[in-house]
Amino acid sequence: VASKTLYATASVEYSSCAASRGNLVFSWSLAEAGGRRAVVLTGSSNELPIPQGTMVGGKAYALSLSVGRDGVFSTAGASLTASASPLVALIAGGSSRVAAPDTPDLSVDASLSYDPDFCPPPDPMSASAACSDPGMAFSWQCAT
């Protein structure tokens, strides 16, 4: 899920017949899959944290790892597809309203709703405006 931090971890064991067992060099790469293959993240330890928001929901990525030392390396790779996170609907005052038949206007405020792949969760203790996603639209239905 694009809105969560993920961790790729490499576990390496030396062969029982290895002559020496020195420190290994790790080289990670996360790139967009397809023609351009733009690298979006690199790392150099046995674990690669992939912070939330690094990958975009619906896009494919190629994760590769090279491990070795003294000019001898082994490589591995995996294909990843980030899934879009569910939208978060936050309606001020709760999710239901009761109104008399002669109520002229009924107001519903969902301005704190957000797409976690586009915006971080709103901070209720902050006076700053919530993140605004221009691609998000709201629609309402009334049940009587």
Side-chain angles (χ1 to χ4, degrees), residues 5-8 41-43 45 47-51 54:
T5 296
L6 305 174
Y7 296 89
L41 188 65
T42 60
S45 71
E47 183 174 82
L48 177 70
I50 304 171
T54 301

PDB file of all heavy atoms in Angstrom, residues 5-8 41-43 45 47-51 54:
ATOM      1  N   THR A   5       4.823   2.674   5.204  1.00  0.00           N
ATOM      2  CA  THR A   5       6.262   2.445   5.064  1.00  0.00           C
ATOM      3  C   THR A   5       6.501   0.945   4.988  1.00  0.00           C
ATOM      4  O   THR A   5       5.957   0.179   5.784  1.00  0.00           O
ATOM      5  CB  THR A   5       7.022   3.054   6.255  1.00  0.00           C
ATOM      6  OG1 THR A   5       6.833   4.471   6.234  1.00  0.00           O
ATOM      7  CG2 THR A   5       8.506   2.743   6.180  1.00  0.00           C
ATOM      8  N   LEU A   6       7.282   0.534   4.009  1.00  0.00           N
ATOM      9  CA  LEU A   6       7.612  -0.883   3.814  1.00  0.00           C
ATOM     10  C   LEU A   6       9.108  -1.082   4.061  1.00  0.00           C
ATOM     11  O   LEU A   6       9.892  -0.138   3.974  1.00  0.00           O
ATOM     12  CB  LEU A   6       7.280  -1.310   2.382  1.00  0.00           C
ATOM     13  CG  LEU A   6       5.853  -1.070   1.903  1.00  0.00           C
ATOM     14  CD1 LEU A   6       5.733  -1.402   0.425  1.00  0.00           C
ATOM     15  CD2 LEU A   6       4.879  -1.881   2.712  1.00  0.00           C
ATOM     16  N   TYR A   7       9.500  -2.337   4.332  1.00  0.00           N
ATOM     17  CA  TYR A   7      10.911  -2.657   4.552  1.00  0.00           C
ATOM     18  C   TYR A   7      11.284  -3.877   3.726  1.00  0.00           C
ATOM     19  O   TYR A   7      10.626  -4.907   3.816  1.00  0.00           O
ATOM     20  CB  TYR A   7      11.181  -2.943   6.038  1.00  0.00           C
ATOM     21  CG  TYR A   7      10.935  -1.752   6.912  1.00  0.00           C
ATOM     22  CD1 TYR A   7       9.682  -1.517   7.458  1.00  0.00           C
ATOM     23  CD2 TYR A   7      11.954  -0.846   7.169  1.00  0.00           C
ATOM     24  CE1 TYR A   7       9.442  -0.399   8.248  1.00  0.00           C
ATOM     25  CE2 TYR A   7      11.733   0.270   7.960  1.00  0.00           C
ATOM     26  CZ  TYR A   7      10.473   0.486   8.493  1.00  0.00           C
ATOM     27  OH  TYR A   7      10.244   1.592   9.273  1.00  0.00           O
ATOM     28  N   ALA A   8      12.328  -3.730   2.916  1.00  0.00           N
ATOM     29  CA  ALA A   8      12.901  -4.870   2.201  1.00  0.00           C
ATOM     30  C   ALA A   8      14.150  -5.265   2.978  1.00  0.00           C
ATOM     31  O   ALA A   8      14.984  -4.415   3.307  1.00  0.00           O
ATOM     32  CB  ALA A   8      13.254  -4.473   0.774  1.00  0.00           C
ATOM     33  N   LEU A  41      14.666   5.352  -5.275  1.00  0.00           N
ATOM     34  CA  LEU A  41      15.230   5.137  -3.947  1.00  0.00           C
ATOM     35  C   LEU A  41      16.440   4.212  -4.046  1.00  0.00           C
ATOM     36  O   LEU A  41      16.441   3.275  -4.838  1.00  0.00           O
ATOM     37  CB  LEU A  41      14.165   4.500  -3.041  1.00  0.00           C
ATOM     38  CG  LEU A  41      14.459   4.357  -1.562  1.00  0.00           C
ATOM     39  CD1 LEU A  41      14.583   5.728  -0.901  1.00  0.00           C
ATOM     40  CD2 LEU A  41      13.336   3.576  -0.884  1.00  0.00           C
ATOM     41  N   THR A  42      17.468   4.480  -3.234  1.00  0.00           N
ATOM     42  CA  THR A  42      18.638   3.593  -3.151  1.00  0.00           C
ATOM     43  C   THR A  42      18.984   3.383  -1.680  1.00  0.00           C
ATOM     44  O   THR A  42      18.546   4.140  -0.813  1.00  0.00           O
ATOM     45  CB  THR A  42      19.865   4.187  -3.879  1.00  0.00           C
ATOM     46  OG1 THR A  42      20.197   5.439  -3.280  1.00  0.00           O
ATOM     47  CG2 THR A  42      19.601   4.365  -5.366  1.00  0.00           C
ATOM     48  N   GLY A  43      19.763   2.357  -1.407  1.00  0.00           N
ATOM     49  CA  GLY A  43      20.186   2.083  -0.043  1.00  0.00           C
ATOM     50  C   GLY A  43      21.446   1.250  -0.023  1.00  0.00           C
ATOM     51  O   GLY A  43      21.811   0.634  -1.029  1.00  0.00           O
ATOM     52  N   SER A  45      22.464  -0.775   3.099  1.00  0.00           N
ATOM     53  CA  SER A  45      22.565  -1.658   4.261  1.00  0.00           C
ATOM     54  C   SER A  45      21.746  -2.915   3.969  1.00  0.00           C
ATOM     55  O   SER A  45      21.185  -3.046   2.885  1.00  0.00           O
ATOM     56  CB  SER A  45      22.066  -0.962   5.526  1.00  0.00           C
ATOM     57  OG  SER A  45      20.667  -0.800   5.485  1.00  0.00           O
ATOM     58  N   GLU A  47      18.957  -3.631   5.038  1.00  0.00           N
ATOM     59  CA  GLU A  47      17.516  -3.333   5.029  1.00  0.00           C
ATOM     60  C   GLU A  47      17.280  -2.023   4.286  1.00  0.00           C
ATOM     61  O   GLU A  47      18.000  -1.050   4.490  1.00  0.00           O
ATOM     62  CB  GLU A  47      16.990  -3.236   6.456  1.00  0.00           C
ATOM     63  CG  GLU A  47      15.494  -3.007   6.529  1.00  0.00           C
ATOM     64  CD  GLU A  47      14.988  -3.053   7.950  1.00  0.00           C
ATOM     65  OE1 GLU A  47      15.104  -2.019   8.646  1.00  0.00           O
ATOM     66  OE2 GLU A  47      14.497  -4.118   8.363  1.00  0.00           O
ATOM     67  N   LEU A  48      16.261  -2.014   3.434  1.00  0.00           N
ATOM     68  CA  LEU A  48      15.892  -0.808   2.700  1.00  0.00           C
ATOM     69  C   LEU A  48      14.507  -0.371   3.142  1.00  0.00           C
ATOM     70  O   LEU A  48      13.516  -1.022   2.822  1.00  0.00           O
ATOM     71  CB  LEU A  48      15.889  -1.065   1.190  1.00  0.00           C
ATOM     72  CG  LEU A  48      15.453   0.131   0.334  1.00  0.00           C
ATOM     73  CD1 LEU A  48      16.523   1.226   0.367  1.00  0.00           C
ATOM     74  CD2 LEU A  48      15.174  -0.304  -1.093  1.00  0.00           C
ATOM     75  N   PRO A  49      14.408   0.729   3.918  1.00  0.00           N
ATOM     76  CA  PRO A  49      13.084   1.244   4.231  1.00  0.00           C
ATOM     77  C   PRO A  49      12.546   1.995   3.012  1.00  0.00           C
ATOM     78  O   PRO A  49      13.267   2.768   2.384  1.00  0.00           O
ATOM     79  CB  PRO A  49      13.326   2.202   5.400  1.00  0.00           C
ATOM     80  CG  PRO A  49      14.791   2.449   5.454  1.00  0.00           C
ATOM     81  CD  PRO A  49      15.471   1.430   4.599  1.00  0.00           C
ATOM     82  N   ILE A  50      11.298   1.722   2.678  1.00  0.00           N
ATOM     83  CA  ILE A  50      10.634   2.411   1.578  1.00  0.00           C
ATOM     84  C   ILE A  50       9.549   3.275   2.220  1.00  0.00           C
ATOM     85  O   ILE A  50       8.481   2.783   2.569  1.00  0.00           O
ATOM     86  CB  ILE A  50      10.032   1.416   0.565  1.00  0.00           C
ATOM     87  CG1 ILE A  50      11.125   0.471   0.045  1.00  0.00           C
ATOM     88  CG2 ILE A  50       9.355   2.149  -0.587  1.00  0.00           C
ATOM     89  CD1 ILE A  50      10.612  -0.681  -0.792  1.00  0.00           C
ATOM     90  N   PRO A  51       9.844   4.567   2.435  1.00  0.00           N
ATOM     91  CA  PRO A  51       8.913   5.427   3.166  1.00  0.00           C
ATOM     92  C   PRO A  51       7.565   5.576   2.452  1.00  0.00           C
ATOM     93  O   PRO A  51       7.490   5.499   1.221  1.00  0.00           O
ATOM     94  CB  PRO A  51       9.632   6.781   3.224  1.00  0.00           C
ATOM     95  CG  PRO A  51      11.065   6.473   2.962  1.00  0.00           C
ATOM     96  CD  PRO A  51      11.066   5.273   2.059  1.00  0.00           C
ATOM     97  N   THR A  54       6.585   7.020  -1.249  1.00  0.00           N
ATOM     98  CA  THR A  54       7.655   6.829  -2.240  1.00  0.00           C
ATOM     99  C   THR A  54       7.092   6.209  -3.508  1.00  0.00           C
ATOM    100  O   THR A  54       7.435   6.610  -4.614  1.00  0.00           O
ATOM    101  CB  THR A  54       8.775   5.935  -1.676  1.00  0.00           C
ATOM    102  OG1 THR A  54       9.306   6.562  -0.507  1.00  0.00           O
ATOM    103  CG2 THR A  54       9.885   5.715  -2.686  1.00  0.00           C
TER     104      THR A  54
END
